[in-house]
Amino acid sequence: MADRMIEPSECYEGRFCSGEGDTAFLRLIDESFAFFNPNAIVPNMTMVYWPEQDALVEAGGWDGWWIQNSYGFAYAATPYLQEPWFTLLQRSLDLLWDHQGDGKTMGHPDYPLVGPDGCLGDCYTSKGMIYKQGDGDLQVHDWFHEATAAGVVMQAEILLANRDRQALTHYLPKMVRACDSIERVRDPQNNLFLVGPACNLLAPSYGGIRQPDGTFGKGYLAGVTITYLAALDRMVELCRLAGDAALLAEYERRRTITRESLPLLLAPNGNYFVKSIETGRSTCNCAFSRKVPGGAMHGVLGQAKYGYLEGTVNADAAGLRVVDDQAAAKIYETIAGFPEIRPFDFLLVNAPGLDDTYWRWGEREGHWDYHRFGDWVNGGVWATVEGRAILMYYRLGKFEDIRRSATRAMKWAKDYRLDAPWSQRGENTDNWWYDEGHVLHRNGIAITVDNYAIPAATIRGLFDYEYRHDRLILRPRVPGGITYYAQKQPARFGGKKLYLSCRNGGPRVASVTVNGRTLPVGHEGDAVLMFDALPDEARVEIVTTGGWPAERPSVEYAGEPALVPKGGLPAPAPLPESLKKPVAVLTAMAKLLAGEDGADYERAFVAAALAACEDCRLRRAIEPGPGYFRPITPRRKAALDEFYEKTALDLVRGFEGRMARYAEKGDARQKRIAEVFAQVLSGRSVR
């Protein structure tokens, strides 16, 4: 495979996409889509459902919804995530927004914190909100400012993609409060953000600044500026969508001064961002220099102290388009020129090890347990970050970086070992969290939502969606070996469905048609779809030109089991006894909901639950093969069969709980659906 040239005439007909050319990459994309639809081959959305909250969950033994862990997945999946998962993603974010800090209310009882007004926090669990990074010494930690900014980014993407005016009216004030909480730590001297330990997105790897008395003070953290700037870009568009001129002026001002401050955070060579800068003033008397932080930079390669490259902040700056194309290319070149930060295809959060964490300040070696370099937030591999790195690779046309990363992740996925984090710098031969039993799992199975970021980005990056208040900008980045690509699952723009295809000849758009009607090409060589001009169902055909560099596939794709096997899927096994009655009930509900006005979500949920039950049958009949990194032993195969059964039962339980809430507190439509469900359960005929 690694030496085989791609034949442009080869065709692939998948479940979610089709195309010509590089069939291995097309299959990678197709099986990435499977993560977001019920199936029996790879982990999928049914496995991160939380019946107790009727929302999504971190999973893998973790009870709750974390901002830093879900960020890569939620951001990347928004354009094409279908129901019921799109609504469930919003419900998961609602767990955070509904418990937003107000300066008065106590959060999680085991973490007795009252969050300042507007802040979000680390996560919401079944016990409540944790307003600071929950791992480590909370007495040292600052409020979770970068997580708050990331929460705004995720919510803004949903609102811009969905264009729901009622939702915009509901969430925009909350998002304004969140942004205001970040503004309170802005230093007016230089417009950077002065913050303390563990407020960076992949916390608690930021230790703040060690003071002479041994305490840990505040520094200028690049991650807050970059993630907040991504939020401000989207807040400007939301203000335009809302038609609020005064709010728009304020957010344009904030964006301008934040972007103007960005160069202060660059390393001395100007090619990448440092992690943080200590406080201190320059001795120069010129006006500009008085604004420049005069303290030591943390995260500069080659320095004797704090000499490392920070992966997360640089991937985010390029992947979320916080910087221009030239700056993004310099960031990538720095990463590509430093192999130590990608030893096993995945981007480390930093390399080499940190010497500025508050638990081991001044020491790069000698860390213990999960504090060791490569096992957690110090040099570990997190798929939520890797997803954003993949967006950077797509932006710059670095398709072999995507192939290596997403293929390695797919091998782990087909082993059902989606660890968070992957230990040992991504090699993961011995995972401290899962192999050592520190987190609950079922006979070697680990599924965490973090890892959905990689397939999500593998899909989103193909068209590099940029939602604005009145248009959607598409920048096709279809891998060069694929000459034609067609997406069977629609992207969303308001209530409109977009079916995208690309005749791929390079990075510049040559022509765009919508349902056969030719549109003008954007002045930057992109496809611009004005919302008001789009039909409700749009077939968007894009032709690109300019040429891609020739590539050879560099890794063997994760072949078996396959989503679309050449010989077809096997006949399903019998339905487990535990699912026979639920399937009968759900089947009856599906028929009765078919003509119910306004029941799109309920129909989608029932369809997903029924698909999960069918996948339980199919999984039992599938020969999983030997595995890739973790052997699929008979014991693990049996555990996987049980896991699929439990997944289906969780969805059934969640629907039953929703019907109970409808019956007790629902509106007239919901009470009618709940009554139908009660009649089905009782065996009475309905309608």
Side-chain angles (χ1 to χ4, degrees), residues 203-325:
S205 58
Y206 169 57
I209 307 300
R210 189 172 185 177
Q211 306 300 302
D213 63 0
T215 61
F216 294 90
K218 298 182 178 182
Y220 298 110
L221 181 64
V224 174
T225 292
I226 286 167
T227 305
Y228 185 46
L229 191 47
L232 290 173
D233 282 339
R234 290 155 180 80
M235 286 293 289
V236 165
E237 295 301 321
L238 288 177
C239 292
R240 288 174 176 153
L241 185 60
D244 191 325
L247 198 62
L248 173 60
E250 171 60 15
Y251 275 87
E252 286 180 326
R253 182 192 71 82
R254 291 182 183 183
R255 180 171 69 172
T256 296
I257 63 175
T258 305
R259 185 155 272 120
E260 287 174 348
S261 74
L262 203 55
L264 302 178
L265 296 165
L266 287 169
N269 66 7
N271 290 342
Y272 60 94
F273 289 102
V274 300
K275 183 172 189 171
S276 66
I277 306 176
E278 296 187 11
T279 56
R281 301 299 176 204
S282 171
T283 57
C284 176
N285 290 323
C286 63
F288 178 77
S289 293
R290 284 198 295 273
K291 296 181 180 180
V292 179
M297 286 185 163
H298 292 232
V300 178
L301 278 173
Q303 287 186 165
K305 293 174 64 175
Y306 325 131
Y308 54 85
L309 177 61
E310 179 73 3
T312 308
V313 70
N314 283 291
D316 285 346
L320 274 68
R321 291 190 168 270
V322 171
V323 297
D324 62 22
D325 289 346

Side-chain angles (χ1 to χ4, degrees), residues 543-577:
V543 176
T544 63
T545 188
W548 293 114
E551 292 182 336
R552 291 176 181 268
S554 55
V555 291
E556 186 78 31
Y557 184 62
E560 300 300 329
L563 185 67
V564 184
K566 291 181 179 178
L569 291 168
L575 194 68
E577 194 66 33

Side-chain angles (χ1 to χ4, degrees), residues 465-487:
Y465 304 75
E466 182 182 342
Y467 289 99
R468 294 191 182 176
H469 72 288
D470 60 348
R471 70 196 67 188
L472 171 60
I473 299 174
L474 301 175
R475 302 179 183 89
R477 292 294 184 269
V478 176
I482 299 173
T483 55
Y484 178 73
Y485 172 78
Q487 208 156 276

Side-chain angles (χ1 to χ4, degrees), residues 56 93 109 181 189 207 227 253 261 327 370 388 422 570 666:
L56 303 179
L93 290 173
S181 75
Q189 290 288 327
T227 305
R253 182 192 71 82
S261 74
Y370 55 86
R388 283 120 64 190
W422 282 302

Side-chain angles (χ1 to χ4, degrees), residues 39-40 572-576 578-579 610-621 640-646 648:
N39 74 89
L575 194 68
S578 64
L579 292 176
L610 282 169
C613 294
E614 183 63 18
D615 289 337
C616 180
R617 297 178 60 204
L618 186 55
R619 184 71 206 183
R620 289 166 183 250
L640 277 169
D641 294 344
E642 293 173 7
F643 184 62
Y644 267 82
E645 182 177 352
K646 178 186 179 298

